[in-house]
């Protein structure tokens, strides 16, 4: 395995190299982060989309931002299920929070294998998830799992285009 700097950025055709996550900041009153765990199964995708949509609606964020966050989250969840939902007890944990005028979403799964941004041809039925996230997000990357847990956390951030309009 080559010795790489985990903070290096990745190019569109290069193997993924993790970017450091922005440090978390305390949440303003009324803004509680969303965190939940679901079985790593495709049947839970609608539940994930619904919970993310409901949480974003309560925060009063612009509709376009909410649509992008839901789509990018759905893609990361689908990737986690596809690549880790092998055992009946595998789970995926989703965390969403507001940080400095941006929404940050992390999807944690038990697989230590980092995601790979691929180029696929037009006829391929899969393989576009990270490309979609890359286009929608201002930044994305991979972080180690929480201490004591297996796997990794794939994250993205999307800036709120009008943070002054959001009230806690």
């Amino acid at each position: 395995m080559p010795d790489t700097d985990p903070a290096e950025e990745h190019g569109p055709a290069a193997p993924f190299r993790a970017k450091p996550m922005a440090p978390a900041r305390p949440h303003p009153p009324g803004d509680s982060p969303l965190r939940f765990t679901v079985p790593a199964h495709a049947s839970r995708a609608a539940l994930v989309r619904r919970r993310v949509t409901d949480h974003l609606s309560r925060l009063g964020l612009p509709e376009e931002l909410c649509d992008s966050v839901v789509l990018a989250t759905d893609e990361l969840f689908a990737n986690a299920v596809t690549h880790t939902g092998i055992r009946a007890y595998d789970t995926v944990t989703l965390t969403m929070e507001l940080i400095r005028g941006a929404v940050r979403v992390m999807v944690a799964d038990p697989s230590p294998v980092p995601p790979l941004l691929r180029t696929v041809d037009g006829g391929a039925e899969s393989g576009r998830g990270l490309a979609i996230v890359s286009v929608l997000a201002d930044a994305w990357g991979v972080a180690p799992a929480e201490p004591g847990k297996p796997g990794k956390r794939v994250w993205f951030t999307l800036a709120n285009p009008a943070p002054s309009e959001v009230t806690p």
Side-chain angles (χ1 to χ4, degrees):
M1 185 163 156
D3 185 31
T4 60
D5 178 2
E8 285 184 66
E9 291 194 19
H10 63 287
F16 178 77
R17 292 196 177 50
K19 292 186 207 175
M21 290 190 307
R25 288 233 168 140
H27 296 275
D31 170 32
S32 60
L34 175 67
R35 182 180 172 99
F36 61 97
T37 300
V38 295
H41 194 272
S43 66
R44 302 305 175 126
L47 170 69
V48 169
R49 288 189 302 271
R50 191 169 43 253
R51 297 228 16 216
V52 169
T53 299
D54 290 348
H55 189 72
L56 292 168
S57 295
R58 283 191 298 276
L59 295 175
L61 297 171
E63 186 176 338
E64 184 176 309
L65 175 66
C66 294
D67 291 345
S68 294
V69 170
V70 171
L71 178 56
T73 302
D74 192 47
E75 292 298 335
L76 291 188
F77 179 75
N79 283 352
V81 167
T82 299
H83 300 290
T84 66
I86 298 167
R87 300 171 301 212
Y89 57 85
D90 284 342
T91 61
V92 174
T93 299
L94 183 132
T95 306
M96 180 178 13
E97 55 194 341
L98 291 179
I99 299 172
R100 291 186 298 277
V103 177
R104 179 168 70 186
V105 174
M106 287 189 291
V107 177
D109 66 60
S111 171
V113 179
L116 178 63
L117 183 61
R118 300 184 294 181
T119 303
V120 296
D121 66 32
E125 292 184 16
S126 64
R128 293 178 184 82
L130 288 177
I132 291 169
V133 172
S134 182
V135 168
L136 292 172
D138 296 310
W140 71 275
V142 178
E146 292 179 23
K149 294 190 177 185
K152 66 185 171 301
R153 295 177 289 170
V154 183
W155 61 270
F156 68 86
T157 58
L158 275 144
N160 183 357
S164 61
E165 294 176 17
V166 176
T167 56

